[in-house]
Amino acid sequence: LPAFALRVAGLLQSRPEERGGRSGAVLPWAASVMLLMSTLAFVFVALGHGPATRSQKQLISAFQEDRPDEASQLIYLFKRPFSAAFYSRSEAVTARTPDDAEHFFTNGTLDYFAVDAGRFAQLPKDFQTRLSEVRRINNYYLLKEKHGDIL
């Protein structure tokens, strides 16, 4: 990219007859359009859109800040995104069904659950009532067991 920027700057500073006819007249417009597109892309990403919205980094950080001790686990319901495995150093586990997650309610620790907001309604009502919302991050709910459920 720096070499390209130097080349464009050199061409913009040269006289029109040195640029080579029609292509020289188009160059300033092309450079302006590219600069505008780059600026818009940067602003789009800086405002929280783009690939960062699919990352689980914020959810994992929220879990780590909220959990009372190291024994607490983070369980992804239905599916665990790859970035969750990465940012949790493979400590986040997956329960493919609510039935697979039942044993976490009786293990004696305060555990946390993450579920895609679009799939939250698929959880049975009795499962939902045993959880309280911690935060909603990037279209995922971070939930934790209600205190009365810990044995």
Side-chain angles (χ1 to χ4, degrees):
L1 185 62
F4 176 75
L6 288 172
R7 179 73 177 134
V8 169
L11 286 172
L12 288 175
Q13 290 178 347
S14 64
R15 291 183 297 236
E17 59 273 3
E18 294 173 350
R19 291 188 205 143
R22 272 185 59 184
S23 63
V26 173
L27 186 63
W29 286 102
S32 298
V33 168
M34 289 179 58
L35 179 62
L36 178 64
M37 288 175 35
S38 299
T39 303
L40 289 175
F42 177 77
V43 168
F44 184 75
V45 171
L47 291 175
H49 303 288
T53 60
R54 293 186 303 272
S55 172
Q56 296 294 301
K57 184 177 184 177
Q58 290 178 321
L59 191 136
I60 299 294
S61 294
F63 159 69
Q64 291 171 341
E65 291 170 11
D66 196 73
R67 71 178 175 178
D69 59 49
E70 295 290 321
S72 295
Q73 290 185 289
L74 176 60
I75 301 98
Y76 275 82
L77 297 169
F78 303 114
K79 181 182 176 188
R80 180 186 69 184
F82 174 76
S83 64
F86 176 78
Y87 288 113
S88 71
R89 293 179 297 280
S90 295
E91 291 179 9
V93 297
T94 306
R96 298 208 181 278
T97 67
D99 289 339
D100 292 343
E102 281 297 322
H103 73 276
F104 291 104
F105 288 104
T106 59
N107 65 2
T109 61
L110 180 64
D111 292 316
Y112 290 71
F113 296 87
V115 63
D116 185 292
R119 297 197 72 181
F120 182 77
Q122 294 176 6
L123 295 173
K125 292 294 179 197
D126 66 317
F127 194 93
Q128 291 179 21
T129 59
R130 294 186 282 167
L131 301 170
S132 61
E133 183 179 336
V134 177
R135 285 181 63 185
R136 182 175 175 166
I137 302 169
N138 295 339
N139 207 36
Y140 268 80
Y141 287 113
L142 176 61
L143 311 160
K144 67 179 175 181
E145 291 179 72
K146 291 183 178 173
H147 292 292
D149 289 338
I150 300 173
L151 299 175

